[in-house]
Amino acid sequence: MRRVSLRAALGAGAMAVTLIAAPGVGLGSATEAHAATKISHAQATEMFRNAGITWSSSGNCSDRNVSTCTSFDQLNLATAQGAITLKQASGCALNITGGTETGHASGTYSHWNGYKLDFSLSTCLNNYITSHFSSIGGSKWQSASGNVYYRESNHWDVTYYNCGGC
């Protein structure tokens, strides 16, 4: 596991953000696009575990082809890094309840294509998102980096277009 701090690149007054790369996955530069870089379930779980992010599945499984599982197979690296950025910036406990498994809505920026994660609702996360991001209507908030946080009835559905300013 390789960790890289961006404080030096962003200046002395910047909040330190540490990127965590999965084994065998390079971090590249902070401006490099990672949307097409796919990681495995094992790489993602190692990244999440090291960042203190938990995950759960109603089916207690990780098979991408079973809708009751929570899978990270074919997750975009930037999506995993975006979740880690959210964890570090918010200080909230994060639990992922949806990944790349079948059963979510289709589309280019979909769960299946590695752009989305679902997070359990919590007071900490709810307050962080609604107070730090811009409301764009319809129970949606957008971060300064452009990622979209949609509060559904029982979870946050997050679309990561990038790593969240990592």
Side-chain angles (χ1 to χ4, degrees), residues 4-8 10-19 84-85 88-89 165-166:
V4 177
S5 176
L6 292 181
R7 183 186 298 272
L10 298 174
M15 179 180 79
V17 174
T18 302
L19 301 179
I84 293 166
T85 299
Q88 292 173 338
C166 65

Side-chain angles (χ1 to χ4, degrees), residues 53-142:
I53 297 172
T54 60
W55 58 95
S56 57
S57 128
S58 59
N60 294 314
C61 50
S62 61
D63 187 328
R64 179 169 159 82
N65 296 301
V66 176
S67 64
T68 57
C69 295
T70 298
S71 176
F72 304 123
D73 280 333
Q74 297 299 305
L75 187 68
N76 291 337
L77 175 60
T79 300
Q81 290 172 327
I84 293 166
T85 299
L86 177 63
K87 166 74 173 159
Q88 292 173 338
S90 69
C92 298
L94 294 183
N95 181 61
I96 300 170
T97 59
T100 60
E101 65 280 349
T102 191
H104 298 280
S106 62
T108 300
Y109 298 103
S110 64
H111 283 272
W112 184 262
N113 289 336
Y115 288 92
K116 288 186 167 217
L117 291 172
D118 290 342
F119 295 98
S120 298
L121 297 177
S122 72
T123 300
C124 181
L125 187 58
N126 300 347
N127 289 342
Y128 181 81
I129 291 170
T130 59
S131 65
H132 287 81
F133 301 150
S134 299
S135 174
I136 57 174
S139 300
K140 293 181 182 179
W141 284 261
Q142 187 170 36

